Every structure is written in structure tokens, then in C-alpha cells.
């Protein structure tokens, strides 16, 4: 049989039950959700499903006035949808790599653009980056996820995790930063010299500085959600 036959193609790409639980990586860029109840997912991320599953877009006051106000204030584009029922659901986001994290009474901050799905047991809140409000337009928020349960985040290509230790801060490009540990509180700084030398306003002049003990996750790609103000 030819290695390019239809049967061989199906064999190489067919869905496979791995028995890993609620969240499984069907491929590196596609999340399989073995649903028996409810999960929250990024609106528009569903690419296929089977079974009895109903989808509901996040209600205006689904999570209270506080979060609704923050979303309006920040222009936050990560709308959520609720998936309820039983079956298999497949989620993806622009071909980005999917990372599954099983939180065990942990706290992690995730860039709002990179949160793909999470269990209802996870407590979450939108956190404003107030100190950078005067420097950039957009991208002023992240999502604080806390508790026990599974979350799925996304990254353009392979992510890199950098350790932050006392006395050895890590500085990142906000457009390439996707997540960091709950005990870290980033500060924003500007590098006018770098901006002048490069002769460009692409955002490298605005940086996130992490100090303390923890980790920060970056991707080898600069998204354009965070732009310097003119």
C-alpha cells in the first residue's frame, strides 16, 4: 500500500483515545476535552465535537460586575464560552501549541490571549497592569488562575521557561510573555536608549521586569496586542 494512500493518511491522522483524562493533547496544537459536565473555553476555539454538547457564550454578568467592568475598561478580547454535556470536544487557537497544566492549589498568571480552556473549579480574575497604562494602548491585562484543576494555555511555537531567583531578575518583551508564577508581580520599565538605537517603535522599548522567586514563560513570537502609545 502506498504511503500516500487515503488509508495511510487516515491511519496517520486518526483520532486516538489516550485515556489521559479530561484534557488530552490530541496533537501538539489541538486539545481534546473528554467532557462530562462543564468547562470554560475561549470563544471561537471549538473546531469539532461529538456527543451531546451545548455551547453558551459567556453572559454579560456571568462572572459579576467586577469582571465585566474590567473587560470593558481594558478592551480585553478573550471572550469565553461554556461547554456543557457529554462527549468529545476539540479546541485550537490559530495553530498555536497547546500546553496543559494540572494546578494543585497553585496560582499562575496567563496572558489573556493565551488562555484556551479551564475547569470550573479554577478561580480566575482579570488583573489590570495599571503601571503600564500610560505607556501602551491595549494588552493591559492578564488572568489570574488559582485552585485545583486543569487549565490549557497556548504558545506560538515552543515556549521557554526562565527561572527567576533573588538578585537575578528576568526582563521580557510583553508581546512574547505568556505566563508567570503567582508569586511574581512584574514591573514595567522603558528603555529609551534601545528604542533610539533600533529606530523603531515596535515595543522593545517597553519591558516587563520580574524579580523574586518563580518562573516566567515566553514564546519565540511577538504578538501585536501591546503597542506603544504615540
Amino acid at each position: 500500500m502506498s504511503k500516500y494512500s487515503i488509508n495511510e493518511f487516515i491511519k496517520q491522522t486518526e483520532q486516538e483515545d489516550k485515556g489521559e483524562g479530561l484534557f488530552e493533547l490530541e496533537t501538539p496544537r489541538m486539545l481534546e476535552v473528554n467532557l462530562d459536565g462543564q468547562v470554560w473555553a475561549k470563544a471561537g476555539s471549538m473546531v469539532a465535537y461529538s456527543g451531546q454538547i451545548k455551547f453558551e457564550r459567556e453572559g454579560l454578568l456571568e462572572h459579576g460586575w467586577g469582571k465585566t467592568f474590567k473587560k470593558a475598561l481594558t478592551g480585553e478580547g478573550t471572550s469565553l464560552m461554556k461547554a456543557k454535556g457529554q462527549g468529545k470536544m476539540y479546541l485550537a487557537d490559530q495553530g498555536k501549541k497547546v500546553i496543559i497544566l494540572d494546578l494543585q492549589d497553585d496560582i499562575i498568571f496567563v496572558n489573556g490571549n493565551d488562555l484556551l480552556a479551564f475547569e470550573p473549579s479554577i478561580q480566575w480574575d482579570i488583573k489590570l497592569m495599571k503601571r503600564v497604562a500610560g505607556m501602551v494602548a491595549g494588552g493591559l491585562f492578564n488572568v489570574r488562575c488559582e485552585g485545583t484543576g486543569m487549565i490549557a494555555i497556548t504558545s506560538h511555537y515552543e515556549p521557554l521557561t526562565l527561572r527567576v531567583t533573588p538578585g537575578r531578575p528576568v526582563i521580557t518583551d510583553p508581546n512574547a510573555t505568556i505566563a508567570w508564577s503567582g508569586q511574581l508581580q512584574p514591573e514595567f520599565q522603558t528603555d529609551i536608549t534601545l528604542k533610539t538605537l533600533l529606530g523603531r517603535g515596535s515595543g522593545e522599548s517597553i519591558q516587563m521586569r520580574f524579580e523574586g522567586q518563580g518562573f516566567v514563560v515566553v514564546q519565540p513570537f511577538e504578538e501585536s496586542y501591546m503597542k506603544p502609545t504615540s
Side-chain angles (χ1 to χ4, degrees), residues 88-222:
K88 290 184 180 295
M89 176 174 63
Y90 301 92
L91 306 177
D93 185 14
Q94 299 181 335
K96 294 193 288 185
K97 183 179 178 66
V98 179
I99 302 107
I100 298 173
L101 300 174
D102 188 3
L103 303 190
Q104 298 294 320
D105 198 24
D106 297 313
I107 302 173
I108 189 171
F109 287 89
V110 183
N111 182 287
N113 289 331
D114 300 313
L115 184 59
L116 181 63
F118 57 92
E119 289 190 75
S121 59
I122 297 297
Q123 301 176 37
W124 66 279
D125 194 13
I126 296 170
K127 296 296 181 180
L128 307 183
M129 298 179 181
K130 297 178 181 177
R131 297 187 180 184
V132 76
M135 303 178 190
V136 299
L140 308 180
F141 69 96
N142 52 73
V143 183
R144 182 181 189 271
C145 298
E146 177 180 6
T148 297
M150 304 191 82
I151 71 172
I153 65 177
T154 57
S155 169
H156 283 283
Y157 311 106
E158 300 293 331
L160 174 68
T161 299
L162 302 171
R163 290 283 187 177
V164 182
T165 56
R168 299 188 65 180
V170 171
I171 293 89
T172 67
D173 182 333
N175 291 329
T177 306
I178 62 176
W180 58 92
S181 52
Q183 60 268 45
L184 296 179
Q185 296 293 329
E187 296 287 336
F188 285 85
Q189 64 184 33
T190 57
D191 191 332
I192 302 302
T193 303
L194 179 60
K195 181 178 180 181
T196 303
L197 287 174
L198 293 178
R200 57 192 287 218
S202 61
E204 284 87 345
S205 58
I206 302 169
Q207 303 162 350
M208 297 177 76
R209 181 183 180 91
F210 295 87
E211 293 191 81
Q213 187 78 39
F215 64 86
V216 57
V217 186
V218 294
Q219 62 184 4
F221 184 92
E222 293 182 47

Side-chain angles (χ1 to χ4, degrees), residues 16-33:
E16 178 184 357
D17 285 323
K18 301 176 182 178
E20 296 176 355
L22 176 64
F23 286 178
E24 296 182 9
L25 287 179
E26 186 61 36
T27 74
R29 302 177 189 278
M30 191 171 298
L31 177 70
E32 179 181 280
V33 181

Side-chain angles (χ1 to χ4, degrees), residues 35-50:
L35 188 62
D36 186 12
Q38 175 185 317
V39 296
W40 286 99
K42 186 173 184 177
S45 63
M46 189 276 292
V47 297
Y49 76 93
S50 62

